[in-house]
Amino acid sequence: KKLQKAMVYRFVHQMKTPVSVLKLILEKHSEEGEYKKIRRNISALEYNLNQMLDVYRLEEFKNDFVSEKVMLKNVCKDCINGLKDYFIASQIYPKLDIDDDIYVYSDSKWLKLIIHQLLTNAIKYSDNGQSVTVRAKKEEDRVILSVIDEGIGIENADLRNIFELFYIGKNGRNNADSSGIGLYIVKRVTEYLGHKTEVESEAGKGTTVRIIF
């Protein structure tokens, strides 16, 4: 198992170097049609390599967890800014609806991983011109963080299985970027952090994922 893990880490890091070089080369042609397709596929490759690392990092969670006061608006804003290019390229509009004083106790770096994954999914399954809203509100003794999209949604038959590793639902099978890894990571990390995950979705009308603190 240790050898397998070492080989995966080595493989991913070796692959990320040429991917980075290709991205730099493509920057000179960022507005040209065919190069946009190449750039999108390179981004998909980079995304999947990062997901491989994230799955292996789950084992290290207990040794890498720090509970701290986290201001949700700051964390969510950082995640949106980190995906700025993806939002722009997909013509999806982010909206942030979080009061400055809302905070939770969590691990900021792992929480960012969750939010980044949920935002990535929301963009991936939305159409040009739609919005993705990140909202947080206090409800008695808990805080609810929601990532809301207006995209293709999830079929009822798939909802119960979406957190299983490598599970890809009907709508996901029509998307070449779907890996069946992202929501598995979200579920595992939220459980480790002591938070709860809920999903509400309707095919053709969008999806809301809630993290309950």
Side-chain angles (χ1 to χ4, degrees), residues 132-188:
V132 170
T133 302
V134 184
R135 178 176 296 147
K137 60 180 180 177
K138 294 178 182 176
E139 279 191 4
E140 298 177 353
D141 60 343
R142 63 183 190 169
V143 172
I144 300 175
L145 175 67
S146 303
V147 176
I148 307 159
D149 69 58
E150 304 166 344
I152 61 175
I154 303 168
E155 296 284 341
N156 249 344
D158 292 322
L159 273 174
R160 69 179 69 182
N161 300 313
I162 58 174
F163 293 114
E164 293 179 14
L165 184 60
F166 302 130
Y167 183 82
I168 300 175
K170 179 182 175 182
N171 289 337
R173 287 192 288 272
N174 297 324
N175 189 310
D177 294 347
S178 299
S179 64
I181 296 174
L183 286 178
Y184 168 79
I185 293 171
V186 167
K187 183 71 170 178
R188 289 287 300 274

Side-chain angles (χ1 to χ4, degrees), residues 1-9 55-56 58-60 188:
K1 193 171 182 180
K2 286 181 181 178
L3 178 61
Q4 182 190 50
K5 185 175 180 180
M7 289 179 68
V8 167
Y9 270 93
V55 167
Y56 274 86
L58 288 176
E59 294 182 9
E60 302 166 6
R188 289 287 300 274

Side-chain angles (χ1 to χ4, degrees), residues 9-130:
Y9 270 93
R10 181 174 174 80
F11 167 77
V12 171
H13 286 294
Q14 284 185 327
M15 289 294 292
K16 288 180 82 169
T17 300
V19 166
S20 297
V21 171
L22 288 170
K23 286 181 73 176
L24 284 172
I25 294 170
L26 284 171
E27 283 182 3
K28 297 177 182 178
H29 307 277
S30 58
E31 299 305 317
E32 298 175 34
E34 289 301 315
Y35 284 99
K36 282 184 178 180
K37 293 179 185 177
I38 297 171
R39 187 180 183 86
R40 176 169 176 76
N41 280 280
I42 287 174
S43 294
L45 178 58
E46 184 178 42
Y47 172 73
N48 282 290
L49 288 170
N50 286 330
Q51 282 200 321
M52 286 179 68
L53 285 181
D54 289 338
V55 167
Y56 274 86
R57 284 178 61 213
L58 288 176
E59 294 182 9
E60 302 166 6
F61 181 90
K62 292 178 182 177
N63 300 322
D64 191 33
F65 167 66
V66 179
S67 182
E68 57 192 337
K69 184 177 180 179
V70 179
M71 305 306 293
L72 274 184
K73 187 171 186 177
N74 295 340
V75 167
C76 292
K77 189 183 290 185
D78 286 347
C79 290
I80 290 172
N81 287 337
L83 287 165
K84 181 175 64 176
D85 290 344
Y86 194 14
F87 274 109
I88 293 170
S90 304
Q91 297 180 44
I92 306 297
Y93 304 98
K95 296 181 180 178
L96 188 61
D97 181 18
I98 302 176
D99 291 339
D100 292 335
D101 62 344
I102 295 183
Y103 66 89
V104 296
Y105 284 96
S106 188
D107 182 295
S108 60
K109 63 182 175 299
W110 286 98
L111 186 55
K112 281 182 179 180
L113 174 67
I114 293 170
I115 298 167
H116 185 278
Q117 180 60 57
L118 294 180
L119 286 173
T120 301
N121 278 12
I123 298 169
K124 187 189 302 180
Y125 296 111
S126 295
D127 293 323
N128 292 0
Q130 293 182 329

